[in-house]
Each structure stands twice: as C-alpha cells, then as structure tokens.
Amino acid sequence: MTTKSETMADSVSAFAALWFKYLDQHAPAGQVVDCLATDGLEMVFPERTLRSIDDFRDWYATVCRAYTDETHVVEEVTPSMAGDDINVDVVVVWRATQTSDGSRIAMRARQRWVLRRTHTEMGLAIAEYRVDELTSL
C-alpha cells in the first residue's frame, strides 16, 4: 500500500525528471513554461533572477543558444510539505558543451524549489527555484 507521503515524493520526483528532460532536449519554450507558476514566479540562477514567464522565455532562449549536448543527472530529490506548497531540495549534475568554444563543462548544482499544486495536467508547478550552490566537477 502506498502512503500519502510516498505518493507526493513519487509525483515530485517524476516532475523533476520531466523538468530536466525538457531542459536536456531544449524542448519548445511553450512546453517548458507549463511547468512554471504564472503568479509569483521567482527563479534565482547565478547569472540572473527571473520573475515572470517572459523573463524565463528570454533566459531559456539564451541558455539554449549557449549550450548543447546538455544532460542533467538527478542525484537527489527531497520533498517536504510546507502548508499548501511543497519544498524540494534538489541535487543535479549538469554537463553541457559551450557553443562559444566547444568546451565541456560539468557542475553539481544544489537547488531549492517551491512547488504548488495545480489543476493542470502536470499537477505541479515551480513557484520558486533557487540555485544555492554550483560546484565544478
């Protein structure tokens, strides 16, 4: 029998896997933004803070031009309930080729997300996304 917390953990892990799959594939922006909350969005990356879907679309287009052959390997997804939201600690290894010079990079990112439940097909949306630590491998 599956408990409520196992179901939530499974849903969050599946959502994280889908998010990183979209990033790896450079999925169309319209598909990726379906993973984002439209109200109160805040995404903090080392290079920029995003506060709207338009900010995300601009950032995403820049990243898709700057990197190819991206892979994200999820090492950890740890969700916990916080009222109606779900706090998630994520550790992911990101590898990519920089289009500017063809060099390969590899980084481990420690992230914190806040997910909200939605009535969309996805069921969850990223409201907050923070890259807390980025370490070269």
Side-chain angles (χ1 to χ4, degrees), residues 27 43 47 53 78 80 89 110 114 124 127:
M43 302 179 86
E47 69 277 12
I53 297 296
T78 308
S80 61
D89 292 321
R110 295 189 180 279
V114 175
L124 296 169

Side-chain angles (χ1 to χ4, degrees), residues 65-83:
R65 284 190 304 271
Y67 302 100
T68 62
D69 304 321
E70 290 187 72
T71 60
H72 292 82
V73 176
V74 179
E75 294 184 328
E76 179 183 323
V77 175
T78 308
S80 61
M81 292 303 297

Side-chain angles (χ1 to χ4, degrees), residues 7-18:
T7 300
M8 185 262 300
D10 292 343
S11 296
V12 170
S13 291
F15 179 84
L18 180 64

Side-chain angles (χ1 to χ4, degrees), residues 41-95:
L41 179 66
E42 182 174 71
M43 302 179 86
V44 181
F45 297 99
E47 69 277 12
R48 187 171 166 195
T49 297
L50 316 176
R51 291 195 169 84
S52 69
I53 297 296
D54 286 341
D55 285 353
F56 176 81
R57 286 179 182 275
D58 182 62
W59 173 87
Y60 185 65
T62 300
V63 169
C64 287
R65 284 190 304 271
Y67 302 100
T68 62
D69 304 321
E70 290 187 72
T71 60
H72 292 82
V73 176
V74 179
E75 294 184 328
E76 179 183 323
V77 175
T78 308
S80 61
M81 292 303 297
D84 291 337
D85 293 336
I86 303 168
N87 291 335
V88 187
D89 292 321
V90 178
V91 179
V92 62
V93 172
W94 171 60
R95 290 182 170 84

